[in-house]
Amino acid sequence: MAKKKVIISIDGGGIRGILPLIILQKIFQYEDEFNPELEIEWWGTSAGALISSSICLNRVDGATYFEGAQNTLDFFELRSSGLIPHQEQRIDNRAFNLLMNKIFGAYSLQDFDNLNIVSTAIESLKSVVFSNENIPLSEALKASCAVPGLFPPVIIGDRRYIDGYVSAKNPTKLALQKAPNDLDLVLSFGTGKLSMVDEVENYVQEVHQYSFEVLNAREVPYFRFDPEIKVASEAMDNNSPKNIFNLKQDAYTFLSEVDHEIKKVQDLLKE
């Protein structure tokens, strides 16, 4: 069976990262039937970087992709107070740094040649991709998640970085610029459609349109899963138990609406 080369790209979005995690669980529900030569290139911005890194780390420990998504969902729920502080609180970044160091501190990006983490260079406000470098995974994640106004910039080498959300909330375009010519499938995951559309959200949609056009021209299957937020809060820092429950409900509602597309993806992953 030929290798199946897949890109999975996950947007930033704080606690709303629960949405793509539940969709990923659904996709990998029948993982044992998938192509055994499946090669996934993971791309993530901010919360998407945390999700991608956590799933890759779970794989090192022998977990399936389904189990990795479940473990990461548990991580988001149980550790959200350390991951995603409330913006109205005056905080420092000690809890977040300790959590990143504890979970990811023993690893370098060189340990994961299929992991790509997006941050923003503060001087230029342009995207920077950390990938397969001799950089601690924990530091790359801190740089990807350094929300301006909440966390200070992260220094790596002689450069300062802030949240990748600022320059590339949706990292799919960056992924396609690096993608091989023999790519088989691209899955892009949003963290919820927001009612207030700003420059960041406009860019998210521009990247989606760009991805659709480029991949359609190359005849590469492309799917974008971005649920509507119907009962949950749109706030990226609302990690209350009630809102986590509501995010799950929005994800399950969305899954019922896109069941046909999910089955298409599963069939493609079996080839």
Side-chain angles (χ1 to χ4, degrees):
M1 184 176 285
K3 290 183 178 180
K4 174 74 69 173
K5 295 184 179 180
V6 179
I7 284 175
I8 292 182
S9 170
I10 308 175
D11 291 10
I15 194 64
R16 299 196 313 271
I18 285 173
L19 298 169
L21 275 167
I22 289 176
I23 301 168
L24 281 166
Q25 275 189 306
K26 181 66 175 179
I27 287 173
F28 286 108
Q29 183 178 10
Y30 303 110
E31 182 179 347
D32 57 337
E33 301 176 11
F34 291 170
N35 187 323
E37 296 296 317
L38 188 63
E39 292 185 355
I40 300 178
E41 191 83 7
W42 293 87
W43 286 76
T45 296
S46 196
L50 283 169
I51 292 168
S52 299
S53 299
S54 178
I55 291 176
C56 287
L57 185 58
N58 271 268
R59 292 286 289 177
V60 170
D61 293 335
T64 64
Y65 287 118
F66 177 86
E67 291 167 340
Q70 179 60 61
N71 293 339
T72 305
L73 180 60
D74 293 342
F75 172 61
F76 260 66
E77 290 191 55
L78 299 175
R79 301 296 188 93
S80 61
S81 59
L83 284 173
I84 308 157
H86 291 289
Q87 295 196 30
E88 68 271 11
Q89 295 175 342
R90 185 174 181 83
I91 57 131
D92 58 38
N93 60 341
R94 285 178 296 179
F96 179 75
N97 285 344
L98 287 170
L99 191 56
M100 292 300 98
N101 291 340
K102 179 180 179 181
I103 296 173
F104 302 104
Y107 298 90
S108 164
L109 271 171
Q110 289 182 327
D111 296 321
F112 304 93
D113 58 6
N114 63 334
L115 179 60
N116 304 271
I117 295 174
V118 179
S119 184
T120 302
I122 196 169
E123 288 81 7
S124 64
L125 294 183
K126 292 184 178 180
S127 300
V128 175
V129 179
F130 296 113
S131 176
N132 198 22
E133 301 173 61
N134 188 22
I135 294 173
L137 177 56
S138 56
E139 294 305 303
L141 287 172
K142 292 173 192 176
S144 185
C145 299
V147 181
L150 277 181
F151 296 151
V154 173
I155 300 173
I156 297 178
D158 59 354
R159 301 183 69 182
R160 297 185 300 158
Y161 300 94
I162 55 175
D163 200 318
Y165 193 102
V166 173
S167 59
K169 178 185 176 183
N170 179 348
T172 312
K173 183 176 181 178
L174 297 172
L176 294 182
Q177 291 171 344
K178 185 183 173 182
N181 292 327
D182 55 348
L183 187 63
D184 294 301
L185 175 65
V186 176
L187 304 178
S188 176
F189 295 87
T191 50
K193 296 177 180 176
L194 305 183
S195 57
M196 182 177 294
V197 178
D198 57 11
E199 185 176 345
V200 171
E201 296 307 314
N202 281 330
Y203 178 77
V204 167
Q205 292 308 310
E206 289 172 8
V207 171
H208 168 50
Q209 186 62 32
Y210 168 88
S211 303
F212 173 80
E213 292 173 359
V214 167
L215 293 167
N216 186 57
R218 291 174 57 179
E219 298 184 337
V220 175
Y222 165 70
F223 296 82
R224 169 78 174 167
F225 297 109
D226 195 13
E228 288 188 28
I229 298 176
K230 297 181 178 180
V231 296
S233 165
E234 295 185 0
M236 63 190 298
D237 63 337
N238 187 340
N239 51 19
S240 67
K242 179 179 179 181
N243 194 53
I244 288 173
F245 176 84
N246 286 339
L247 283 166
K248 288 183 172 182
Q249 294 310 302
D250 281 337
Y252 294 135
T253 298
F254 177 75
L255 284 174
S256 68
E257 297 168 348
V258 298
D259 183 65
H260 184 62
E261 286 78 9
I262 295 291
K263 289 179 179 176
K264 281 185 179 178
V265 170
Q266 291 171 330
D267 287 341
L268 287 167
L269 290 172
K270 292 176 183 177
E271 294 177 355

